[in-house]
Amino acid sequence: METEGYRCRSSRYIEGGQSAVPSSVLFAAGLLGNVLALLLLGQHRRRSRSPGGRPPRVSAFYVLVSGLAVTDLLGKCLLSPIVLAAYAYNRSLSELGPGGLGEDEPGVLCQLFAFLMAFFGLAPTLLLLAMALECWLSLGHPYFYRRHLTRRLGATLGPAAAGLCALFCALPLLGFGAPMQYCPGTWCFIRMAGGGPRQLVFPVLYASLMGLLVLAIVACNVSSPAAGPPPAAAPRMEELDHLVLLGLMTVLFTVCSLPLIIRAYMGAFAADFNENADLSALRFLSVNSIVDPWVFIIFRTSVFRTFVRRVCRRLSSRRASLKGSSPGADGQFCPPGWRRTDAPQLGIP
């Protein structure tokens, strides 16, 4: 297997001048954020308990958001300690674990790391798509949604999607793709440039699948407001909360995943061999699981609601001035529960 250009592919030690501080800070931020997000979700579950002590009433969206937080947390707990161990022992990932079967094949730990990176990059995308479909159905087809989409269905789809994702990401371990160690020796992922078609087909498929999922998520988010019920049957505050939160997460995920998609295509079709750019794309993808829970936490704060309320009032005042009527409250643009006079509601499941 050709491996020209990957200067750290067989390195035994970490490149000089590297520090474990950035990785430690990112790990701590991701760990803290996901734990806080799960605590907030648990708090909502307790507050949603039905009268008489019956099990709490939670939506499919609640299950999917919880699954996303657990997936991000699991990814951080499995990947970051390996990186920190490499820094602690000043050994590359291939050197930390048993060696590969061939001379140019990375070590077993490096191959496992590449699989985990691919899995935890793709699995959250599938969960976001499920959340987008749930939101689209709840706003555009509320009767079908309440009859067929249940918490049990959400709990079933999550493991099924994870299993399919794991099978797909395991293809490089079976020879359909090539795991590779990246500089400074603390990262491993699928080879994205150079080599033959057998090595490059998988990264192209991976990037294409991720790109299609992003487009599907964006399409669901864009069509959800247009598919909403008529004014006489305005959507509940909870459903609008879902849409806003999902929109924020979609923008974040798109920004973090686009560099990897672009690098995979450039490496395969333009022979653009730039290991530093590949590594930057991988870091962008890993940042998503760190920032995601903090977006959820900020969205739950009263500061965010106050900001949205002010925007609503300005839009209402502008509309009233154009019509020549007296500016009313912020009810023209604010959904129920976000207006200044409304009683506070728990919007996010």
Side-chain angles (χ1 to χ4, degrees):
M1 180 176 61
E2 299 178 23
T3 51
E4 70 282 353
Y6 287 94
R7 66 181 188 274
C8 294
R9 65 184 182 274
S10 56
S11 298
R12 300 180 58 187
Y13 304 100
I14 299 176
E15 272 192 330
Q18 304 296 326
S19 172
V21 173
S23 298
S24 302
V25 172
L26 292 177
F27 173 53
L31 184 65
L32 178 62
N34 283 290
V35 169
L36 288 177
L38 288 172
L39 289 176
L40 286 174
L41 288 165
Q43 182 185 42
H44 169 77
R45 182 182 176 88
R46 289 191 298 271
R47 291 182 179 181
S48 301
R49 187 170 296 277
S50 303
R54 293 194 300 270
R57 296 169 294 181
V58 294
S59 63
F61 195 89
Y62 167 89
V63 177
L64 293 171
V65 172
S66 301
L68 181 61
V70 170
T71 301
D72 289 341
L73 179 62
L74 187 61
K76 283 295 154 207
C77 291
L78 290 178
L79 289 169
S80 295
I82 298 177
V83 176
L84 296 178
Y87 278 112
Y89 290 99
N90 191 27
R91 294 289 189 273
S92 67
L93 297 188
S94 290
E95 185 69 12
L96 276 179
L101 298 178
E103 183 180 349
D104 291 329
E105 192 172 90
V108 175
L109 184 61
C110 180
Q111 296 183 47
L112 175 62
F113 193 95
F115 164 77
L116 293 175
M117 278 288 296
F119 176 81
F120 287 109
L122 189 60
T125 320
L126 294 174
L127 287 172
L128 276 177
L129 177 60
M131 292 163 61
L133 288 173
E134 192 270 355
C135 193
W136 177 71
L137 287 173
S138 67
L139 288 174
H141 308 276
Y143 300 109
F144 176 88
Y145 170 82
R146 289 167 187 159
R147 183 173 182 179
H148 297 285
L149 268 73
T150 62
R151 181 182 60 179
R152 180 176 298 179
L153 178 61
T156 303
L157 290 178
L164 292 175
C165 182
L167 289 176
F168 177 74
C169 295
L171 289 177
L173 301 179
L174 304 176
F176 192 66
M180 186 65 63
Q181 180 172 275
Y182 286 79
C183 289
T186 58
W187 291 78
C188 289
F189 193 64
I190 309 304
R191 180 187 183 122
M192 292 191 289
R198 189 177 179 86
Q199 286 78 39
L200 295 180
V201 169
F202 179 80
V204 172
L205 286 177
Y206 186 88
S208 300
L209 178 59
M210 186 171 288
L212 289 174
L213 291 174
V214 169
L215 290 177
I217 293 169
V218 172
C220 288
N221 289 341
V222 171
S223 60
S224 289
R236 296 176 301 163
M237 177 59 198
E238 183 180 6
E239 295 163 350
L240 294 172
D241 271 352
H242 295 175
L243 182 60
V244 176
L245 175 63
L246 186 58
L248 293 174
M249 288 184 170
T250 301
V251 171
L252 171 65
F253 180 79
T254 303
V255 171
C256 291
S257 61
L258 272 180
L260 181 65
I261 296 174
I262 294 172
R263 286 303 308 161
Y265 279 108
M266 291 182 67
F269 298 112
D272 185 3
F273 207 121
N274 188 334
E275 189 177 0
N276 291 330
D278 290 345
L279 184 57
S280 298
L282 294 177
R283 286 173 171 164
F284 258 100
L285 186 64
S286 65
V287 164
N288 179 69
S289 62
I290 299 172
V291 183
D292 247 351
W294 290 106
V295 170
F296 174 81
I297 293 169
I298 293 172
F299 184 78
R300 285 296 302 263
T301 61
S302 58
V303 176
F304 183 83
R305 293 300 180 88
T306 302
F307 169 76
V308 174
R309 193 175 62 206
R310 288 178 179 176
V311 172
C312 291
R313 288 205 301 268
R314 289 192 178 186
L315 290 174
S316 297
S317 299
R318 179 173 297 182
R319 181 177 180 179
S321 62
L322 290 175
K323 287 186 174 182
S325 57
S326 60
D330 46 0
Q332 293 290 334
F333 288 91
C334 282
W338 279 5
R339 299 172 187 167
R340 180 172 46 188
T341 57
D342 285 342
Q345 299 182 28
L346 256 179
I348 296 300

